[in-house]
Amino acid sequence: MIRWRRGEVRQLLPSWPGVALSLVAVDTAPGRSTDTTGGAGPARRPAPGPGGEGTATTCRALAYTDLVGTPRVGDTVLLNTGALDLGLGTGGYALVVAVPDRLPVDQERPGHLVKARYTPLQATVLGADEQGSPHHDVLRSADGVDGMPVVVADLHSALPAVVAGVRAERPDARIVNVMLDGGALPAAFSQLVGILREEGLIAGCVTTGQTFGGDLEAVTPHSGLLAARHVMGADVAVVCQGPGNLGTGTPWGFSGVCGGEAVNAAAVLGGRPVASLRVSEADERERHRGVSHHSLTAYGRVALARADVVVPVLPGAFGERVRSQAQALGSRHRLVEVGVGGLEEALLALPVKVSTMGRGLDEDRAAFLSAAAAGRHAAALL
């Protein structure tokens, strides 16, 4: 489904760097329906149509300011509401495609890497290793990451928990997020990355593949890891998708299988791959209870290189279930049991509230303790 709508900006909402949020009255043309439930997004309410014609509903709209400029109250905006109307995506936003009556100023930036390629909003960025980059000479000769621990997780929500685990043991470690393109492509969508960077908990973010807007840009996860190590001075890299992901309820139809490829990339570059298990004690779907089937596929079938698979030591029958399920990975990888004592306190000390699939620490403690345990193990490898 692709749905285009015109709307009028009625109110500006709290935003963050690179993103402008607003409340938009969206026109519903006669004979065309707009889902007023909003799916997973916010409820919509009737509002007068622009110009007094037809009807309108209101929704939250997200504009990437580097791409389309910053909407103002009264602006007409062109929206893509397809994912919102289907109840898909993270956050429940319509996306601003253009502010047609007030185009943004042309941006003359160096660089020749085109990301979100051949889409109407493709962005040209400066690659860390391209000829015009000040880092070109360093990365032209770089061929490995010097044994750097590389923590791999499939969901973006694992990032702050991994960081908490690393810093619980090595508070001065330089941590860099290497973002894969299975989820959100603009790094600006991630409030987690912004806050962790501002608080000094990560040194920055490298956007790879079709993702863009990080502190450094890279073509592949391989060049992203090299940039993290040799340009940003990372002691530990955390590799995961951007916010959101794509899944079909099948073993192979999930964007997070790219985690297995990230293990391969880390190994071929001489890093120490550390596999963070996706664990849940609260997910209603049986295939995600205990160790998610996605972790078993990514690490058990896609990852051809050997990794340290971190098995969190959790209490009771649930902990035994996780340990038993993880055994399926033991023929290919090294299973490392890691205690979780003190990690809940480290999670609570973060400047962000951890959340995965709408569940916080109180609802799904095991999910975050598993990721934090992977961070703790990575710190032990330094």
Side-chain angles (χ1 to χ4, degrees):
M1 174 189 290
I2 301 177
R3 281 185 173 171
W4 304 107
R5 295 289 185 267
R6 282 186 178 272
E8 181 182 304
V9 177
R10 296 293 177 84
Q11 180 183 348
L12 303 182
L13 301 175
S15 303
W16 59 91
V19 166
L21 294 182
S22 59
L23 188 68
V24 175
V26 184
D27 183 42
T28 303
R32 300 172 68 182
S33 64
T34 296
D35 178 6
T36 57
T37 65
R44 300 178 182 185
R45 59 181 182 273
E53 299 176 358
T55 60
T57 57
T58 59
C59 67
R60 293 184 302 166
L62 183 150
Y64 293 110
T65 55
D66 284 349
L67 299 180
V68 301
T70 304
R72 302 171 184 166
V73 172
D75 278 343
T76 296
V77 290
L78 175 63
L79 303 176
N80 182 329
T81 66
L84 176 63
D85 291 339
L86 287 173
L88 304 178
T90 298
Y93 304 111
L95 296 177
V96 177
V97 179
V99 185
D101 297 329
R102 191 167 51 79
L103 297 178
V105 176
D106 291 343
Q107 298 184 33
E108 300 297 334
R109 293 181 175 179
H112 296 82
L113 298 191
V114 180
K115 297 199 174 185
R117 289 187 283 277
Y118 304 108
T119 67
L121 294 179
Q122 65 183 15
T124 303
V125 298
L126 177 66
D129 55 354
E130 68 171 288
Q131 287 85 346
S133 166
H135 314 301
H136 173 72
D137 289 342
V138 170
L139 293 175
R140 180 173 56 183
S141 58
D143 192 44
V145 295
D146 308 322
M148 177 178 67
V150 177
V151 183
V152 178
D154 66 357
L155 296 179
H156 191 70
S157 55
L159 174 62
V162 173
V163 169
V166 174
R167 292 197 164 274
E169 306 300 322
R170 296 291 293 268
D172 296 328
R174 284 182 63 83
I175 306 169
V176 173
N177 172 222
V178 176
M179 188 178 289
L180 305 178
D181 57 12
L185 299 186
F189 190 71
S190 173
Q191 296 183 64
L192 289 178
V193 167
I195 294 172
L196 292 174
R197 186 198 295 111
E198 288 174 4
E199 296 292 330
L201 297 179
I202 63 173
C205 170
V206 183
T207 38
T208 71
Q210 297 290 339
T211 63
F212 59 92
D215 299 277
L216 292 175
E217 305 282 356
V219 178
T220 65
H222 303 74
S223 58
L225 287 169
L226 290 169
R229 177 64 173 179
H230 296 288
V231 177
M232 302 192 76
D235 298 313
V236 176
V238 183
V239 183
C240 57
Q241 304 178 84
N245 61 86
L246 180 59
T248 62
T250 65
W252 294 104
F254 173 61
S255 54
V257 299
C258 61
E261 300 291 0
V263 167
N264 296 335
V268 79
L269 292 173
R272 291 289 303 272
V274 175
S276 174
L277 291 175
R278 178 175 169 182
V279 168
S280 176
E281 56 188 331
D283 202 302
E284 295 179 354
R285 299 164 294 180
E286 181 62 26
R287 64 185 184 273
H288 293 305
R289 294 297 288 269
V291 179
S292 169
H293 74 117
H294 289 319
S295 286
L296 299 177
T297 299
Y299 303 139
R301 303 187 68 183
V302 179
L304 302 179
R306 190 172 177 83
D308 286 356
V309 175
V310 174
V311 183
V313 179
L314 301 170
F318 181 79
E320 288 300 322
R321 175 177 180 171
V322 169
R323 183 179 295 107
S324 175
Q325 290 174 305
Q327 294 303 313
L329 302 173
S331 62
R332 180 169 296 189
H333 303 291
R334 184 170 80 105
L335 302 183
V336 182
E337 293 195 355
V338 176
V340 298
L343 290 180
E344 185 171 349
E345 291 78 7
L347 291 166
L348 290 170
L350 287 168
V352 295
K353 288 186 177 181
V354 292
S355 176
T356 184
M357 299 294 175
R359 300 184 297 271
L361 183 60
D362 290 340
E363 293 81 21
D364 204 349
R365 187 170 281 99
F368 306 104
L369 290 176
S370 180
R376 170 173 276 176
H377 178 64
L381 298 177
L382 293 176

